[in-house]
Amino acid sequence: ETPVAEPVVAETVAEAPPVKFTIEGTVFEDMDGNGIMDATDAGLANWTLTLEQPAGNVINSAITGMDGKFAFMDLAAGEYAVSEVIQMGWNLISPAEGKLTVNIIDQSATNLVFANQVVPAAPENVTAA
């Protein structure tokens, strides 16, 4: 009697989908200039933020909502830099270097803040009569 080969059953291993992360934060008007979003500070709408990879390549941009919040979604683990585009008539208070570096290893970064103040108006030249 000839031995019958057992049928080979290929095991299918379902690969886990790649984990995606988020970088979120807020752009706000820093009324007292302390770099912290206090109860009296309000988010700034329609501000642009850029997302860069370490080589300095901009890979995405986001616009803040009415509450000043922004988010970059579906990111792989890795190092990113987030910068805001300063609007005319404003000064950046924090971060001092104008950009935040985020290294995502196993969790999203959700508390980035960009503090801004209105540039004080130059005093009018008053000429004595």
Side-chain angles (χ1 to χ4, degrees):
E1 196 174 300
T2 31
V4 177
E6 288 288 317
V8 177
V9 177
E11 282 189 43
T12 55
V13 178
E15 283 193 36
V19 179
K20 297 293 186 181
F21 298 99
T22 304
I23 295 176
E24 299 174 37
T26 308
V27 175
F28 67 97
E29 181 175 4
D30 192 1
M31 300 298 283
D32 59 8
N34 67 356
I36 299 165
M37 189 165 183
D38 303 308
T40 56
D41 297 335
L44 295 169
N46 298 316
W47 281 56
T48 301
L49 292 108
T50 59
L51 183 68
E52 300 173 12
Q53 298 230 262
N57 300 333
V58 173
I59 57 169
N60 203 347
S61 64
I63 307 287
T64 58
M66 293 307 292
D67 55 2
K69 295 193 181 305
F70 66 89
F72 295 102
M73 316 290 274
D74 296 329
L75 302 173
E79 189 172 306
Y80 300 92
V82 180
S83 310
E84 73 173 6
V85 176
I86 302 287
Q87 294 198 8
M88 288 287 294
W90 291 84
N91 282 329
L92 175 67
I93 302 299
S94 172
E97 52 287 336
K99 128 183 345 189
L100 293 170
T101 301
V102 178
N103 193 4
I104 296 177
I105 298 169
D106 58 4
Q107 63 185 26
S108 294
T110 57
N111 55 356
L112 278 63
V113 290
F114 288 88
N116 299 275
Q117 275 189 322
V118 173
V119 174
E124 300 275 331
N125 285 339
V126 179
T127 52

